[in-house]
Amino acid sequence: MADVTELGYLGIGVKDMEAWKKFAGEVVGMQVVDEGEGDRFYLRMDYNHHRIVVHDSGEDDLIYSGWRVAGPQELAEMKQQLTDHGTEFTVGSPAECQERRVLDLIKFTDPGGNPTEVYHGPQVDTHSPFHPNRPTHGKFTTEGEGIGHMILRQPNPPAAIEFYTKVFGMRGTVEYKLPMPGAPDGLAQPMFLHCNGRDHSLAFGFPMDKRINHLMIEVDNLNDVGNTHDLVRQSGTPVAIQLGAHANDQMFSFYFGNPSGWLFEYGFGARKSTHQSEYYIKDTYGHQPEATGFGMDLEL
Ligand code: MBD
Ligand code: FE
């Protein structure tokens, strides 16, 4: 059985390309790369050609996620695992592989209807060191752990947990029971899944309008959380969840709105996956809600 090894890339569709360039470069501290295609630009976080493709397609939502496998053997095994599960896939054409800057890929939808890709062999540009559009103290933490984590819309969480554990080989379960008026039993019971040393690369079980609620990106220097927090405040960017520490990954983080109206979580200092389940009823400290309307109106 082949397992996915990291959440490797995302494609997002946006309405305001210029606002996204400014936000990603000047507030978040990514590297904005425009190769002149006109309908897209790229966001870099490390040596990879890109981690995010920003498409001028107007959805203001996630349009695809790319999960990495180790190599061609694993991609072949993943095809068999999808077939055994009854999930139909298409094989990426050479043009599609070139567009994604990978050696090979397959495309399908996950049980929540989210367009999903599995690939191997990303283009790594060691000749072009990561160069953020604004000064940073440190770097994004991506080595062996991928882009970060995302919260995906899953109308049927049991079907999603079955897919991501049995087909993708990820591990995880419910990690919080949080009071939420309107939820079954008045409780939100989100699930968190890992596939490498990152505590979770995927979570779901929150009620959501968009496909994605937030993308968490991690930095290796605490000063970058403080500095980014200053830039978020100075730019009038809404903060949906204030600075605080999560109980599960023990990360110090905060959440702010992006120009598409979903959230970035920006954090430092997460512990590694423990590979054993436990659950929490509250976060360690902080993480108070502030700006509403981002689908994270719950008491952590
Ligand atoms: C997370 O990263 C998160 O986004 C939430 C809501 C709870 C715990 C860890
Ligand atoms: Fe998160």
Side-chain angles (χ1 to χ4, degrees):
M1 157 142 192
D3 300 340
V4 296
T5 57
E6 65 177 57
L7 175 60
Y9 62 76
L10 300 181
I12 63 175
V14 314
K15 280 206 183 75
D16 191 338
M17 298 281 275
E18 285 315 306
W20 263 95
K21 275 189 180 165
K22 238 175 117 79
F23 168 83
E26 293 168 29
V27 178
V28 183
M30 291 180 170
Q31 180 179 355
V32 177
V33 177
D34 192 332
E35 298 188 344
E37 288 105 329
D39 64 348
R40 72 196 63 186
F41 63 85
Y42 303 94
L43 299 177
R44 280 186 98 202
M45 298 171 65
D46 53 21
Y47 279 113
N48 280 31
H49 175 270
H50 65 268
R51 289 291 188 170
I52 301 179
V53 190
V54 182
H55 294 270
D56 188 9
S57 58
E59 294 94 334
D60 278 332
D61 202 352
L62 178 71
I63 48 181
Y64 53 86
S65 319
W67 292 89
R68 188 178 186 178
V69 290
Q73 287 80 8
E74 288 76 11
L75 190 62
E77 284 176 44
M78 188 58 68
K79 289 177 185 168
Q80 189 61 49
Q81 286 157 215
L82 285 161
T83 301
D84 292 347
H85 184 262
T87 301
E88 285 178 29
F89 59 87
T90 60
V91 175
S93 66
E96 287 174 310
C97 293
Q98 177 52 29
E99 186 183 331
R100 295 285 190 268
R101 306 301 200 286
V102 299
L103 290 174
D104 203 0
L105 70 86
I106 54 177
K107 299 187 178 190
F108 48 91
T109 56
D110 83 351
N114 302 296
T116 305
E117 303 174 5
V118 173
Y119 71 98
H120 77 86
Q123 178 180 325
V124 180
D125 292 336
T126 60
H127 62 277
S128 174
F130 173 65
H131 184 87
N133 282 51
R134 63 147 171 96
T136 58
H137 295 273
K139 296 211 139 112
F140 289 110
T141 302
T142 57
E143 186 70 47
E145 299 189 356
I147 185 168
H149 72 240
M150 63 175 174
I151 309 309
L152 269 187
R153 184 175 63 203
Q154 297 292 352
N156 185 348
I161 202 100
E162 155 138 343
F163 179 84
Y164 282 100
T165 57
K166 298 217 170 107
V167 183
F168 271 20
M170 300 178 78
R171 289 176 51 86
T173 184
V174 170
E175 293 189 356
Y176 283 83
K177 291 177 186 262
L178 298 166
M180 197 177 69
D185 303 328
L187 285 175
Q189 302 198 46
M191 301 169 195
F192 296 76
L193 294 163
H194 60 269
C195 56
N196 54 42
R198 190 180 294 290
D199 178 85
H200 54 284
S201 294
L202 177 66
F204 46 79
F206 299 97
M208 290 167 52
D209 295 329
K210 292 181 185 286
R211 286 186 185 129
I212 190 167
N213 170 272
H214 69 261
L215 172 67
M216 189 289 301
I217 51 177
E218 184 178 7
V219 289
D220 64 2
N221 189 310
L222 180 56
N223 291 338
D224 284 318
V225 180
N227 190 27
T228 301
H229 187 262
D230 279 356
L231 292 168
V232 162
R233 292 299 187 184
Q234 283 157 22
S235 58
T237 304
V239 171
I241 299 184
Q242 296 171 353
L243 289 163
H246 284 307
N248 60 352
D249 61 2
Q250 301 179 1
M251 173 180 275
F252 182 67
S253 70
F254 73 112
Y255 299 59
F256 51 96
N258 63 42
S260 290
W262 51 275
L263 297 170
F264 272 36
E265 178 180 4
Y266 197 98
F268 167 80
R271 72 167 167 179
K272 301 299 171 197
S273 326
T274 64
H275 309 293
Q276 297 193 92
S277 62
E278 49 188 46
Y279 80 97
Y280 317 92
I281 58 169
K282 218 181 155 12
D283 260 351
T284 309
Y285 60 83
H287 280 156
Q288 268 85 27
E290 188 177 304
T292 54
F294 291 97
M296 264 284 151
D297 307 328
L298 43 82
E299 289 289 328
L300 280 167

